[in-house]
């Protein structure tokens, strides 16, 4: 036997035992997105590398060191999408969706980042992504946050907290950036290696450092909120007011800066203490400049993405995963003629009882083996068809999950009889 091929590090299989939680999240989320007027779109997994360089920013961790980038056979530099926002904005521009129009969109799928894998952090991971294009806010900011709060409620997730901040406009952020760089340069000796590297390219990210030795330095840094322009200040105050009016608890975190360059004004994260170091389950913000930056008409926009693996892990911890659906009927058949007839009978039952799970015993086996399989399948009823039943034009019906004896039922009456028993 040859050696089995190993999976790629940081890329997981989602096995049937876990899929109920994934499907539950997807189904609840889809229902909420649609109820708020968001429409699904699907965008390619591969985009031109330049798209991510221009949108996420050249000096971000993602673009500097985490992208799966390669040259295709035609010599183009392509990248597996590390996130969905850039591709969605590109799609809106490429398809002319933004000419005076507004769009509420959602998208789901795999993202790829060459990060150091650990619990909750993977190289292939899934996001559910929601974007509102053409809405200046702050009403839409508040509604998007309310949408995400409803998602946690409907999923019965507890212990997720909202933190918000405003990054202001590019102009006010530039002023802040200069103040921050001046402050950090004055303390350059205290900067760790990562922060020294970020000082020139992306100093705001230093505020996000998880290194405890950097904490007091960061705490003493000037605050972004002190340089906010008047309009951003009003926008943020209106958002806070709207959240309070909706009874959505939040914490303002003046150090929340996010790891992607396209944000302006509102940024937010839903975090939890239940997942260890990877505490953000859902993050997003406003990106008013991105559409124009990528060559579209200036269009304000905001969105967020939730990390599916992390929300699924929370669902599992909170006991919010519904029980997987078991089949309704397991059809046991023994004897050459009966086995052939059972294939046909199973199809007839599937026609007559749409939506019901009908499992046919496959691969033969004696009655004992077949009943063991029927029991393991979790089915509520077993139907038994042997050559002898076939000759009499009946099948035996036997409840598997509740008391009740086995009864013979004429084949023509099976659908009604089964429906009355289920
Ligand atoms: P992000 O913060 O990079 O933002 O990712 C959003 C969420 O994806 C995170 O909160 C986290 O739950 C999950 N996530 C990120 N990286 C990983 C990973 N390596 N493994 C597992 N889960 C991960 C964005 O991607 C933005 N596009 C969000 C957005 C949409 N902003 C505006 N619109």
């Amino acid at each position: 036997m040859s050696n089995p091929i190993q999976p790629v590090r940081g890329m997981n299989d989602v096995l049937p035992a876990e899929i109920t939680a994934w499907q539950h999240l997807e189904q609840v989320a889809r229902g909420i997105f649609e109820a708020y007027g968001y429409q699904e779109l699907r965008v390619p997994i591969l985009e031109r590398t330049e798209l991510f360089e221009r949108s996420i920013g050249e000096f971000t961790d993602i673009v500097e060191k985490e992208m799966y980038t390669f040259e295709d056979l035609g010599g183009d530099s392509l990248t597996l999408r590390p996130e969905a926002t850039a591709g969605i904005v590109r799609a809106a521009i490429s398809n002319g969706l933004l000419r005076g129009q507004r769009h509420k969109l959602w998208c789901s799928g795999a993202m790829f980042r060459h990060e150091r894998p650990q619990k909750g952090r993977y190289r292939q991971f899934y996001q559910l992504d929601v974007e509102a294009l053409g809405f200046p806010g702050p009403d839409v900011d508040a509604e998007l946050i309310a949408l995400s709060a409803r998602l946690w409620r409907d999923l019965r997730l507890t212990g997720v907290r909202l933190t918000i901040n405003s990054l202001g406009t590019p102009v006010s952020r530039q002023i802040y950036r200069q103040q921050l760089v001046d402050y950090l340069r004055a303390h350059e000796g205290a900067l760790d290696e990562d922060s020294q590297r970020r000082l020139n390219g992306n100093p705001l990210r230093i505020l996000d450092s998880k290194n405890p030795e950097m904490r007091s330095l960061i705490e003493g840094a000037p605050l972004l909120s002190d340089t906010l322009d008047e309009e951003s200040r009003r926008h943020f105050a209106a958002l806070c007011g709207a959240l309070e009016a909706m009874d959505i608890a939040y914490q303002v975190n003046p150090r929340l800066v996010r790891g992607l360059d396209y944000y302006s004004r509102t940024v937010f994260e839903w975090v939890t203490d239940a997942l260890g170091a990877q505490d953000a389950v859902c993050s997003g913000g406003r990106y008013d400049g991105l559409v124009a930056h990528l060559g579209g008409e200036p269009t304000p926009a905001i969105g967020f993405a939730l990390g599916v693996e992390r929300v699924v892990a929370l669902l599992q911890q909170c006991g919010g995963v519904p029980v997987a659906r078991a089949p309704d009927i397991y059809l046991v058949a023994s004897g050459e003629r009966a086995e052939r007839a059972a294939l046909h009978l199973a199809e007839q039952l599937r026609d007559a009882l749409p939506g019901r799970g009908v499992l046919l015993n496959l691969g033969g086996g004696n009655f004992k083996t077949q009943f063991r399989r029927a029991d393991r399948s979790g089915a509520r009823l077993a139907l038994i068809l042997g050559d002898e039943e076939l000759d009499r034009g009946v099948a035996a019906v036997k409840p598997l999950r509740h008391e009740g004896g086995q009864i013979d039922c004429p084949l023509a009456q099976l659908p009604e009889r089964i429906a009355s028993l289920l």
Side-chain angles (χ1 to χ4, degrees), residues 266-332:
T266 309
V267 285
F268 62 96
E269 276 187 0
W270 288 93
V271 293
T272 174
D273 294 328
L275 297 178
Q278 305 311 314
D279 61 353
V281 289
C282 171
S283 354
R286 183 161 276 288
Y287 47 95
D288 291 339
L290 182 60
V291 179
H293 186 63
L294 291 178
E297 289 181 22
T299 307
I302 181 168
F304 70 77
L306 67 82
V308 174
E309 286 83 353
R310 294 184 192 177
V311 176
V312 163
L314 273 188
L315 263 177
Q316 285 161 338
Q317 283 189 21
C318 296
V321 183
V323 181
R325 185 175 165 231
D328 297 292
I329 301 156
Y330 193 98
L331 182 43
V332 167

Side-chain angles (χ1 to χ4, degrees), residues 83 85 113 115 120 122 127 131 258 262-263 280-281 283 303 307:
E83 58 104 55
T85 311
R113 295 183 194 174
E115 297 192 76
Y122 308 108
Q127 284 185 345
E131 311 288 353
R258 310 274 300 119
Y262 50 62
Y263 291 112
V281 289
S283 354

